[in-house]
Structures are given as structure tokens and as C-alpha cells.
């Protein structure tokens, strides 16, 4: 069970980082100015990885022209029956972008599919077009992050719909077996 415990601890750290960054953005959006030092939002006894992840996000905002518009925004498409919560919506170099925080050690295609679904839902709900989606991988070791721009969100969303169709077919087959 050691692997399960380590995975769960890493997940707890990721959740804590996510919560700190969310609070940072909420305060910035509400007050119209950013908190000068994100560390004030973290309990002093917190794990060092929480500090590193939060400082990674803070550094991203300090070094780029980013203005947060929303955080933890529920989006959906009632016609497709999908919904989710996007991590942040921001003006990045005056372009509207959707972003998703990641603290896992690896960032894969499945995350691109997820964020492209958020983009679709946001655009469906609002009629606004975004200029892109990105994954922000926050380091839990030092104040650095990696940005992954999703080059073809339309293709990624098509993959999302394909996966959803396969899932629906499997569920229908299992339901048929049970009757």
C-alpha cells in the first residue's frame, strides 16, 4: 500500500496548491490587485511542496502580462450533457485564454482533452471565443512552471467526444447484460 499512500499524499499536496492559487486569484479578482506575496495565504506549517507550487504560480503571474478574469468557473453544454469546472480564465497578453493548473509529474494528452472540453463549454455558454488553452504544470520542488499550449483544441475536443461515445456504448452494453 506504500504506492497508494504516496499517490494520495501527492494528491493532497496538489489539492492544497490548487486551493492556495485559487484563493490568490479570487482575492485579485475581488480586490482588483494581486496579493504581494502568495505565501501569506499558506499556513506556516505547510509542506514545502505547497509553498513551491504556489510560488510557481505567483512567478508565472509576476513574469507575464496576465489578468485573471475568473477562477473555478462552472461551464457546460446541455445539448451534449457535459460540464466541468475550468481552473482559470484570463487575459494573457490581451487575449482570452483558458488555463488549467497541474501539479502531477507528467502532463499528457488526457489533460489537453479535458481543457479542450472546458473551452468548448465556455464558448458554447457565452458565445465568446477564446484564443487558446494551456496547461500550467506547477513545480512542487522550486518556483518554476512549465506551460503547455494546446495547439489544436478542436481536434482534442473531437477526441473527447469520441471517448465519451465509447464510454456511453460500454455503459449501454453493461446495462443490457444486467437485464
Amino acid at each position: 500500500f506504500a504506492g497508494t499512500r504516496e499517490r494520495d499524499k501527492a494528491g493532497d499536496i496538489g489539492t492544497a496548491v490548487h486551493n492556495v492559487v485559487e484563493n490568490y486569484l479570487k482575492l485579485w479578482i475581488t480586490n482588483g490587485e494581486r496579493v504581494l506575496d502568495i505565501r501569506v495565504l499558506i499556513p506556516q506549517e505547510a509542506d514545502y511542496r505547497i509553498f513551491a507550487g504556489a510560488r510557481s504560480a505567483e512567478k508565472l503571474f509576476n513574469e507575464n502580462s496576465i489578468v485573471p478574469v475568473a477562477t473555478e468557473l462552472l461551464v457546460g453544454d446541455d445539448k451534449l450533457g457535459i460540464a466541468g469546472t475550468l481552473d482559470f480564465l484570463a487575459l494573457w497578453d490581451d487575449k482570452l485564454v483558458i488555463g488549467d493548473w497541474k501539479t502531477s509529474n507528467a502532463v499528457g494528452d488526457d489533460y489537453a482533452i479535458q481543457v479542450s472540453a472546458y473551452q468548448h463549454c465556455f464558448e458554447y455558454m457565452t458565445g465568446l471565443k477564446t484564443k487558446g488553452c494551456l496547461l500550467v504544470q506547477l513545480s512542487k520542488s522550486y518556483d518554476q512552471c512549465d506551460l503547455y499550449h494546446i495547439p489544436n483544441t478542436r481536434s482534442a475536443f473531437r477526441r473527447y467526444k469520441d471517448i465519451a461515445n465509447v464510454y456511453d456504448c460500454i455503459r449501454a452494453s453493461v446495462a443490457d447484460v444486467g437485464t
Side-chain angles (χ1 to χ4, degrees), residues 121-141:
C121 291
F122 174 79
E123 291 179 354
Y124 170 81
M125 288 177 58
T126 65
L128 298 172
K129 295 294 180 197
T130 60
K131 296 298 181 189
C133 293
L134 56 99
L135 300 168
V136 182
Q137 185 180 27
L138 302 173
S139 173
K140 293 179 283 188
S141 300

Side-chain angles (χ1 to χ4, degrees), residues 141-159:
S141 300
Y142 51 91
D143 64 345
Q144 192 64 37
C145 66
D146 292 317
L147 298 177
Y148 299 91
H149 295 272
I150 301 168
N152 190 342
T153 58
R154 302 298 178 236
S155 173
F157 183 64
R158 279 193 304 277
R159 287 187 300 180

Side-chain angles (χ1 to χ4, degrees), residues 106-122:
V107 175
D109 288 345
D110 50 340
Y111 294 134
I113 292 168
Q114 172 193 10
V115 176
S116 70
Y118 294 158
Q119 179 190 38
H120 165 82
C121 291
F122 174 79

Side-chain angles (χ1 to χ4, degrees), residues 7-154:
R7 181 204 64 210
D8 291 347
K9 273 198 250 178
D12 292 344
I13 296 296
T15 298
V17 170
H18 190 279
N19 291 339
V20 170
V21 175
E22 178 186 343
N23 289 334
Y24 175 77
L25 293 177
K26 280 182 179 176
L27 286 168
W28 186 353
I29 292 166
T30 301
N31 298 333
E33 58 187 46
R34 80 177 88 178
V35 173
L36 294 177
D37 188 343
I38 200 168
R39 292 176 294 185
V40 301
L41 303 175
I42 306 169
Q44 287 184 345
E45 69 280 357
D47 187 290
Y48 75 92
R49 294 171 291 181
I50 298 169
F51 283 93
R55 293 292 305 270
S56 298
E58 180 181 48
K59 186 175 181 181
L60 174 76
F61 285 107
N62 286 339
E63 293 181 351
N64 293 279
S65 176
I66 307 170
V67 178
V69 175
T71 183
E72 293 301 303
L73 185 62
L74 180 62
V75 294
D77 179 334
D78 56 344
K79 289 182 184 174
L80 292 178
I82 61 174
T85 305
L86 61 88
D87 285 348
F88 70 94
L89 179 69
L91 290 172
W92 191 309
D93 293 328
D94 296 323
K95 295 176 180 77
L96 192 61
V97 298
I98 289 173
D100 202 53
W101 305 114
K102 296 299 177 195
T103 56
S104 54
N105 293 332
V107 175
D109 288 345
D110 50 340
Y111 294 134
I113 292 168
Q114 172 193 10
V115 176
S116 70
Y118 294 158
Q119 179 190 38
H120 165 82
C121 291
F122 174 79
E123 291 179 354
Y124 170 81
M125 288 177 58
T126 65
L128 298 172
K129 295 294 180 197
T130 60
K131 296 298 181 189
C133 293
L134 56 99
L135 300 168
V136 182
Q137 185 180 27
L138 302 173
S139 173
K140 293 179 283 188
S141 300
Y142 51 91
D143 64 345
Q144 192 64 37
C145 66
D146 292 317
L147 298 177
Y148 299 91
H149 295 272
I150 301 168
N152 190 342
T153 58
R154 302 298 178 236

